[in-house]
Amino acid sequence: MSDFQDKVAVITGGASGIGLAVARELVRLGGSVVLADVNERALTDASEEFGDKALTQVCDTSDLAQVEALAEAAFDWTGHVDLVLNNAGQGGVRGKLWDVDPEAARAHFDVNFWGVWNGCRVFTPRLIAQDRPSAIYNTGSENSFFCAVPQTAAYIAAKHAVLGMTESLREDLPDHVHAGLIIPGWVFTPLGEERFMQFGMDSAKYARIIVPQILANERFVVSHYSNVKRIEERIDPLLDAYARNAPRNEGDDAYDTRDFIAALQANRN
């Protein structure tokens, strides 16, 4: 997708924060949006702002049946969907891992991981069935690659899981359906306390940075260069551990899982 004229996007968590900012940018580029959120008041405000360029629906993405109802409404509205943004999420429970209520952590995963899973599960077959290019993007985080905020194990684990899920999904898709990961850095959204979040990047500025990447079908949609140094703080010790403790030796490729699977497939063909 090189532009968004006359195209349709479904955005969960679309009534505030990054979701709403991206919706505004897509509508500015000539598209229409289906906005899903649990906040009815915010959805009403968005509906008034966008008029006939938007369809809004209350949807708890952790509930598979509600996500299926969202898909039905979206496709009934225009007959097609060009872009799905599984963006809905919530801030994680805080505290040292052993002090966090396990039920609270599971409830968090229901939204930040299973909500994204539900969006992929419901919308992907429909996108595949369409005779037109489309894309599905999942909102990860800088926390998909490193620990940005201390004592948020459930949030960090969920965002790591979204990264892995998205990468796996990519391999199952036909050429006309693209999948990618949106990797927000520190953006001013309602995800955390305003007294802290207000110092993050303005969400409108963030949307202007990432929408062109989404429309260009980038695999990873990025914004904050400072993330690179934090990623390196993890990757460099990992590579060093391999260099010291598992150096390359002749015959190592025999243990490469992907190479082995490829060889099996080649033999079957």
Side-chain angles (χ1 to χ4, degrees), residues 6-153:
D6 300 324
K7 292 186 171 71
V8 180
V10 176
I11 307 175
T12 65
S16 65
I18 290 171
L20 181 59
V22 169
R24 285 172 173 151
E25 190 67 10
L26 293 176
V27 169
R28 185 186 70 81
L29 294 173
S32 299
V33 290
V34 179
L35 304 181
D37 209 294
V38 294
N39 189 326
E40 295 186 48
R41 176 59 185 273
L43 282 174
T44 298
D45 291 344
S47 179
E48 292 174 355
E49 175 181 347
F50 294 123
D52 62 3
K53 301 295 287 184
L55 173 70
T56 60
Q57 180 149 325
V58 175
C59 179
D60 177 354
T61 57
S62 68
D63 185 334
L64 180 61
Q66 291 191 38
V67 179
E68 290 172 338
L70 172 65
E72 289 289 336
F75 279 88
D76 285 347
W77 189 43
T78 61
H80 69 273
V81 169
D82 301 283
L83 175 63
V84 175
L85 270 61
N86 290 310
N87 170 74
Q90 60 181 211
V93 288
R94 299 293 301 275
K96 296 177 180 177
L97 186 148
W98 55 88
D99 291 329
V100 170
D101 179 0
E103 291 305 314
R106 289 190 181 95
H108 175 77
F109 253 72
D110 283 344
V111 176
N112 277 27
F113 175 72
W114 286 108
V116 178
W117 179 289
N118 288 341
C120 292
R121 183 182 189 277
V122 169
F123 279 94
T124 298
R126 291 175 175 268
L127 298 182
I128 292 172
Q130 292 184 135
D131 186 23
R132 58 192 294 140
S134 61
I136 185 164
Y137 275 90
N138 299 326
T139 299
S141 168
E142 58 188 2
N143 289 280
S144 296
F145 297 91
F146 58 88
C147 302
V149 181
Q151 298 189 1
T152 57

Side-chain angles (χ1 to χ4, degrees), residues 184-200:
W186 188 4
V187 180
F188 184 14
T189 74
L191 201 63
E193 296 181 35
E194 183 173 348
R195 63 187 178 90
F196 175 76
M197 297 299 292
Q198 65 178 318
F199 298 106

